[in-house]
Amino acid sequence: MESDVQRPVSLLLNRRGGDYRSDFNNNQTPSNNSKDVEGGGGSFSSGKWPSDYHMKIIWKRGFVRLVLVAGILWMLLILAVLSFHVWSCQSSSVFFSVICNKESKVYNFLNTWGFVPEQHRCPIPVVSNPERIVIPEGRTHDQIVKNISYVMEDEPLKDGSQSSQLFGGHQSWKQREKSFNLSSSMKVHCGFMHNGGADMDLVDIEYVKNCRFVVASGIFDGYDVPHQPSNISDRSKKLFCFLMVVDEISLDFIKANVTVREDHNRGQWVGIWRLILLKHSPYDEPRRNGKVPKILTHRLFPQAQYSIWIDGKMELLVDPLQILERYLWRGKNTFAIAQHKHHRSIYEEADANKRRKRYARPLIDLHMKIYYYEGMESWSPKKSSVSDVPEGAIIIREHTAMSNLFSCLWFNEVNLFTPRDQLSFGYVVYRLGGAFRFFMFPNCEYNSLFVLHPHTREHSSKVEWVKSLSEFKGNGSSMKESRGGLGLWTPYPGDLNSVALPKVVRASKAG
C-alpha cells in the first residue's frame, strides 16, 4: 500500500514541482522516500519551497525565451532586408531599381561571397515607353578636368629629323606618366596623329557633324555583316545616327553579301546603318584597328554628346534612349560598361587570354609585369569598383572632358601594349585614383541587351601562337607589329626581371 501511495506522489512532484505535503497532511505521513526528497539540504531542507520560487523560475525562463525570440526575429529582419536589397537590384521595376545601390559595400560583400545569384540574362529595369523619356538639358560639367586637347604631331628627334608617322604617335614613357597627372586643362596623345591613317571620306565627315546621339559599331577585316537592331522607337530613329565603321576589306565583303544602297549624297547604307569608311588602316592587326572607333568614338564623331558602342557581331535589342536613361541619366553617370562574366582581376583575364591564344603569351606576360611593377594589384573586395575587368562589347558614354580623357588614356595603353583592351581598362581606372567615376552594371543585363551572332570566320594570326620571345627572332621578326604595341619592344625604365606576377586561381572557364 505504501508503494501505491508513493507512486502518485512522485508523479505529482514531477508534474507540478511544488509542495506536495499539503495533499497528504490530513491523510498520512509521507514515506521515508518522501523525506529523502525533502531533506536534501539547502533552501529545501526545511521542507518548504521559497515563496517567490515559482515567480523566479517563470521570470528566468521567460527572459531566456524573450532573448532567443528577439535574436531570431532580429536575424530574420536582417536576412529579409538583405534579401530585399538583392531582389530590388535584380527587379525589372524602375521604382525598385532606383532603391538599389549596386555600388554599396553591402551589395559588393553579398556579391563577393556568392549570395547574389548569377544569371546569364535578367530583366533590364528600363522605362517602358521611350517617348516619355526626358532628355537632360545641357552637358555634364566635370569638376577636375575641364578642357582637353590632343597631340597631333610628334616632337622632332634629337637630330632634327621627323620620326615615322604613326596613328598613336611615338609616346615616350615620360609622356605616358605625365598623362596621368590630372589638371583642369590637359593635352594628351589620343590617336589621329597627322598622316597616321584612319581617314574618313569628306561626305561622311559632313554627315556625322549633325550627329548628337550616336549608336556606333564596327567591322574590320570582313569578320561580320551588319545586324539590324530591334525594338527601335520612331523617336530614336529620328534622334540617333546609327554609324557602322568599316575598313576597305569589310566594305567589299559587305557589298558582296548584303544589299548596300547609296543615297543622293553618296552615303552608303545597310538598313538603318550608315557605313563610315576608314581608309588607310592605322595598324597591321585587325583587332587593333577595331579599337579606334570603339574607344575613340569621341574623336571620330566630335559633335556627338552621347554614344553607345556595340561590337559588330551584336544585334541590339533595346531602344537606345532606354539605354541612356537606364545607365547614364538615372544614376547621373557619364560612363557605363558591363562587368565581365568570369573575371575581376586583370591577371585572371590575362591568364584566360593566354589559354585562348588571344595574343602572344610572352607579350601578355610582359604587359602584365609592367602593370604589376607600377602598383596594379589583383582585384579584391577592398577596391572601390566591383571589378577591374569589363565586358567591352557595349560602352555607354556622355562625351565629357573626363570621359574623353579616360578614353584617350585607355586607347594609349592599347596602342602601346597588347590590343586586349580588357587588360588596360582597370589599370587606367587605378592610375586616375578615383577621379574617374563610372557605372559597371551586372553582366546579366549586358546579355539582355543584344543577340550575339557568330563571326563569319574565325580570326587567327601567327602572333597568337607565340610561346617564347625567341620565336620573334630571325624569320619570326615578321610577326612583330610595325605600327602598334611598340611599348612592348621599347626598353622599360625599370627592372622587370625581378617582377613575379600574382598567382591566378582558375576558378572559372577561360571566358
Side-chain angles (χ1 to χ4, degrees):
M1 176 65 70
E2 184 177 355
S3 61
D4 292 336
V5 173
Q6 289 175 352
R7 188 179 299 112
V9 170
S10 300
L11 290 173
L12 187 61
L13 175 62
N14 290 335
R15 292 175 183 172
R16 295 173 58 183
D19 187 359
Y20 60 87
R21 293 173 59 89
S22 60
D23 293 333
F24 298 95
N25 281 342
N26 298 330
N27 297 321
Q28 68 180 78
T29 303
S31 66
N32 292 334
N33 291 338
S34 300
K35 289 179 180 179
D36 291 339
V37 174
E38 293 174 5
S43 61
F44 302 115
S45 60
S46 63
K48 293 184 178 181
W49 301 89
S51 60
D52 60 346
Y53 175 75
H54 299 292
M55 190 60 64
K56 287 181 178 180
I57 293 298
I58 292 172
W59 275 105
K60 286 180 180 179
R61 291 176 178 174
F63 179 75
V64 171
R65 289 173 181 172
L66 180 63
V67 171
L68 289 174
V69 171
I72 293 172
L73 290 175
W74 181 249
M75 292 300 296
L76 289 174
L77 178 61
I78 293 175
L79 288 174
V81 171
L82 293 178
S83 299
F84 176 78
H85 187 54
V86 172
W87 174 83
S88 67
C89 291
Q90 297 179 332
S91 173
S92 59
S93 168
V94 175
F95 174 77
F96 289 115
S97 70
V98 172
I99 296 177
C100 165
N101 179 13
K102 290 182 179 177
E103 297 182 353
S104 68
K105 293 183 178 179
V106 174
Y107 186 87
N108 288 336
F109 174 82
L110 294 173
N111 194 19
T112 300
W113 289 97
F115 292 107
V116 179
E118 293 187 5
Q119 296 174 289
H120 179 65
R121 295 182 184 273
C122 59
I124 305 175
V126 296
V127 175
S128 58
N129 187 356
E131 302 293 337
R132 297 181 179 178
I133 293 176
V134 178
I135 299 174
E137 296 182 359
R139 292 176 176 266
T140 301
H141 297 286
D142 292 308
Q143 299 300 315
I144 302 176
V145 179
K146 300 183 183 300
N147 297 293
I148 180 171
S149 57
Y150 308 112
V151 176
M152 299 301 294
E153 292 187 354
D154 285 314
E155 297 178 358
L157 299 176
K158 291 182 179 180
D159 60 2
S161 63
Q162 290 290 334
S163 55
S164 58
Q165 300 298 320
L166 297 176
F167 178 81
H170 295 266
Q171 186 184 32
S172 66
W173 296 115
K174 185 177 181 180
Q175 288 172 324
R176 173 177 177 263
E177 187 64 28
K178 183 180 178 182
S179 68
F180 294 109
N181 299 325
L182 300 182
S183 61
S184 61
S185 182
M186 299 189 66
K187 187 173 185 178
V188 296
H189 284 78
C190 198
F192 293 95
M193 300 289 282
H194 184 63
N195 292 330
D199 304 313
M200 291 172 57
D201 281 331
L202 288 176
V203 62
D204 293 327
I205 293 175
E206 289 300 317
Y207 177 80
V208 301
K209 285 182 179 179
N210 299 314
C211 297
R212 181 189 172 199
F213 295 83
V214 168
V215 176
S217 188
I219 298 173
F220 291 84
D221 209 33
Y223 285 106
D224 302 284
V225 293
H227 302 286
Q228 299 305 310
S230 306
N231 307 310
I232 308 300
S233 66
D234 291 337
R235 185 184 184 191
S236 289
K237 289 178 182 177
K238 296 176 182 178
L239 192 63
F240 283 82
C241 295
F242 290 80
L243 307 176
M244 179 66 68
V245 183
V246 298
D247 60 4
E248 292 165 307
I249 294 175
S250 298
L251 181 60
D252 293 338
F253 178 81
I254 291 170
K255 287 182 175 179
N257 288 275
V258 297
T259 301
V260 177
R261 65 179 178 86
E262 187 171 306
D263 61 23
H264 63 281
N265 290 322
R266 295 188 297 111
Q268 300 182 88
W269 299 79
V270 176
I272 200 171
W273 292 105
R274 168 70 179 249
L275 301 182
I276 304 295
L277 175 63
L278 286 190
K279 297 181 292 185
H280 312 119
S281 294
Y283 298 107
D284 312 320
E285 171 62 43
R287 281 179 171 165
R288 204 182 288 271
N289 285 324
K291 309 307 176 185
V292 174
K294 174 180 180 176
I295 302 178
L296 299 183
T297 315
H298 68 288
R299 297 281 276 133
L300 268 180
F301 316 123
Q303 276 71 38
Q305 181 178 354
Y306 297 99
S307 69
I308 300 170
W309 167 266
I310 64 171
D311 278 359
K313 61 184 178 181
M314 297 164 62
E315 175 190 333
L316 189 63
L317 298 179
V318 180
D319 186 273
L321 264 180
Q322 292 175 314
I323 293 176
L324 291 181
E325 191 282 329
R326 161 70 181 105
Y327 297 110
L328 295 188
W329 301 333
R330 188 183 304 176
K332 296 182 179 180
N333 304 302
T334 59
F335 192 106
I337 197 167
Q339 179 181 342
H340 195 278
K341 183 178 181 180
H342 299 295
H343 309 134
R344 297 190 184 212
S345 167
I346 65 170
Y347 303 106
E348 293 175 345
E349 177 66 13
D351 180 69
N353 274 249
K354 290 190 294 182
R355 281 186 283 161
R356 300 192 69 176
K357 298 179 178 61
R358 299 302 191 193
Y359 203 65
R361 297 180 188 182
L363 296 183
I364 291 177
D365 283 338
L366 178 57
H367 187 181
M368 292 299 97
K369 282 187 175 183
I370 291 173
Y371 283 177
Y372 198 66
Y373 180 86
E374 294 177 349
M376 179 67 183
E377 299 288 342
S378 297
W379 184 88
S380 74
K382 296 179 181 179
K383 290 194 173 185
S384 59
S385 60
V386 298
S387 174
D388 287 335
V389 184
E391 286 281 10
I394 291 184
I395 308 173
I396 306 154
R397 285 170 279 203
E398 180 183 0
H399 296 177
T400 64
M402 178 59 83
S403 175
N404 292 345
L405 174 65
F406 177 84
S407 296
C408 291
L409 300 181
W410 185 15
F411 178 81
N412 290 342
E413 297 299 296
V414 173
N415 174 67
L416 275 174
F417 305 120
T418 70
R420 309 306 302 173
D421 56 82
Q422 291 165 309
L423 300 179
S424 303
F425 180 90
Y427 171 80
V428 178
V429 172
Y430 151 71
R431 289 303 306 269
L432 293 180
F436 176 67
R437 299 182 61 84
F438 63 100
F439 177 34
M440 183 170 276
F441 55 91
N443 186 270
C444 64
E445 289 190 25
Y446 158 84
N447 283 302
S448 298
L449 288 169
F450 64 88
V451 172
L452 187 63
H453 295 274
H455 289 302
T456 57
R457 59 188 175 91
E458 282 297 319
H459 175 84
S460 181
S461 64
K462 291 181 180 180
V463 72
E464 296 173 346
W465 296 85
V466 172
K467 297 180 180 180
S468 171
L469 287 176
S470 62
E471 296 180 45
F472 287 105
K473 298 179 180 179
N475 294 333
S477 61
S478 62
M479 290 189 292
K480 291 184 181 179
E481 292 185 65
S482 62
R483 293 182 285 175
L486 301 187
L488 299 169
W489 304 103
T490 303
Y492 181 75
D495 181 16
L496 298 179
N497 292 325
S498 61
V499 176
L501 292 175
K503 293 183 178 180
V504 173
V505 178
R506 297 177 179 177
S508 61
K509 298 178 181 179

